[in-house]
Amino acid sequence: MRRLLVLGVVAVFCLGLAAPAQATFGTVLPTLARDLVSYYDFEHPVRGDSSLEQDSGRSGTRLRLINGGADMRVRDGAFGRSRNSLQLKQIDPATAGNDDWKAGLYSETGVPSLKEFNGARQASIMGWVKMTGQNPAPNSNSADPADLYGAIGLAGVLSGDSNGHAVRALLELIGVDGELKLVALARRVDGGGSQTFAAAEDWRKLLPQNEWVFLAATFDFDTGAMALYRNGKPLTGRYVTAGDPWQLEGEPEPDVSSATDPRGMKIGGSYPQNTREGNACNCRMDSLMFLDRVARPWEVRLQYRWMAN
């Protein structure tokens, strides 16, 4: 299988597609590399500040490892060529604080290096996830010790007016009709309605404890189409919100996201400005990819195989 994949990529190069110029060490499918806005493999601390992770995508957007710093990099790669992953976790469930281990960045004026998601027509989020503790986590903002968060934070790009929670594109687990579901969720217009595509299958089967799983979510702001994938295969699901929450009807065309720079990214929970804890994830993540176009089904399948084999 590996030999077939290599031959396939050689064929891609022969068609004239450029190899990734970034330090991706051959882990990114060449057809995706040119649209890779940000890529974090947690193998590249910033020299002089190991609480920052270098971006191997074209935007160069550094990611902050919040509260745990360099200790959040652990020796547990999701696939053969990976050494490290990112540990995310809740520290003190009984205290309303902001000490949870998460990652991200935030700026009230927007993050210019993420301009590819300003007026974007499409987006994709992909990466490896491994559940390593209690999920959903206890709600540290509640006085009831039995109260759990209603979501499990994975990875997302914030909207241009975000308070650290609202997103433009998100891969997460949230409650849908009283049941936790793996979802792709997006908001085309800042301050506007969001649409959710929820996987039909039980999330605990999709993300079993202590098992690495490759997830992908794609978003087309022009057509309204979203999709979810697990280990390279598309997941069946449904759109949750009726009507036209993205305001796609009418002119102008094509439909794109708001013409604002995202205020940042959130990984493993909300509020990357670290003002509070929200939707903590007791999990590990590896090789997170953010693209400014929809990854095609065959690309998601090959990206999974490219890493896993």
Side-chain angles (χ1 to χ4, degrees):
M1 176 61 74
R2 179 65 179 168
R3 183 171 181 271
L4 290 175
L5 286 171
V6 170
L7 290 173
V9 171
V10 170
V12 168
F13 285 131
C14 291
L15 290 174
L17 295 176
Q22 305 81 11
T24 54
F25 295 102
T27 57
V28 178
L29 195 71
T31 61
L32 295 176
R34 62 182 178 182
D35 300 301
L36 193 62
V37 178
S38 291
Y39 176 67
Y40 304 104
D41 59 8
F42 309 107
E43 314 279 355
H44 296 91
V46 172
R47 183 176 298 178
D49 188 352
S50 58
S51 69
L52 292 174
E53 178 71 16
Q54 293 182 32
D55 180 1
S56 295
R58 70 175 190 263
S59 78
T61 305
R62 292 177 174 179
L63 192 72
R64 181 163 295 281
L65 311 188
I66 301 167
N67 293 319
D71 290 340
M72 296 170 66
R73 294 185 188 90
V74 295
R75 288 284 185 176
D76 181 20
F79 52 97
R81 285 168 291 157
S82 174
R83 294 174 300 169
N84 295 339
S85 57
L86 182 70
Q87 179 69 62
L88 306 147
K89 63 181 179 179
Q90 187 177 52
I91 300 298
D92 187 358
T95 302
N98 56 337
D99 58 356
D100 56 318
W101 284 15
K102 56 195 170 192
L105 66 154
Y106 183 84
S107 171
E108 284 192 358
T109 58
V111 179
S113 61
L114 296 176
K115 64 183 182 298
E116 299 300 336
F117 297 113
N118 177 328
R121 191 169 178 173
Q122 298 179 340
S124 297
I125 300 172
M126 296 189 279
W128 294 85
V129 179
K130 178 182 183 180
M131 294 301 183
T132 57
Q134 180 183 355
N135 288 297
N139 186 347
S140 62
N141 299 301
S142 171
D144 182 357
D147 189 17
L148 304 178
Y149 283 116
I152 304 170
L154 296 181
V157 178
L158 300 181
S159 63
D161 62 350
S162 180
N163 62 353
H165 179 72
V167 290
R168 187 159 289 168
L170 176 71
L171 175 63
E172 191 160 275
L173 293 109
I174 67 170
V176 176
D177 298 331
E179 186 177 1
L180 202 63
K181 292 289 186 181
L182 176 67
V183 306
L185 183 151
R187 178 178 289 99
R188 184 179 76 85
V189 178
D190 288 351
S194 64
Q195 178 61 283
T196 300
F197 181 80
E201 197 166 352
D202 188 319
W203 76 270
R204 290 160 294 193
K205 293 182 178 179
L206 297 174
L207 287 163
Q209 194 80 348
N210 297 315
E211 180 179 321
W212 280 111
V213 175
F214 184 71
L215 297 178
T218 64
F219 313 85
D220 191 321
F221 295 116
D222 187 28
T223 66
M226 290 190 285
L228 285 167
Y229 300 82
R230 180 188 187 272
N231 288 348
K233 298 179 180 179
L235 294 173
T236 58
R238 68 179 179 90
Y239 293 94
V240 174
T241 305
D244 185 22
W246 282 2
Q247 304 172 40
L248 300 179
E249 294 297 327
E251 298 294 332
E253 295 291 345
D255 293 295
V256 296
S257 68
S258 290
T260 55
D261 292 338
R263 286 191 173 182
M265 292 178 176
K266 61 177 186 176
I267 295 168
S270 289
Y271 307 104
Q273 67 271 51
N274 209 25
T275 54
R276 64 176 286 166
E277 181 177 293
N279 300 333
C281 183
N282 291 302
C283 61
R284 292 177 181 175
M285 296 189 196
D286 194 2
S287 297
L288 292 175
M289 305 167 65
F290 298 84
L291 299 99
D292 60 352
R293 72 163 172 87
V294 167
R296 304 172 187 91
W298 64 268
E299 289 177 308
V300 177
R301 182 174 68 252
L302 283 182
Q303 179 61 58
Y304 167 66
R305 293 179 180 176
W306 184 246
M307 287 177 160
N309 290 279

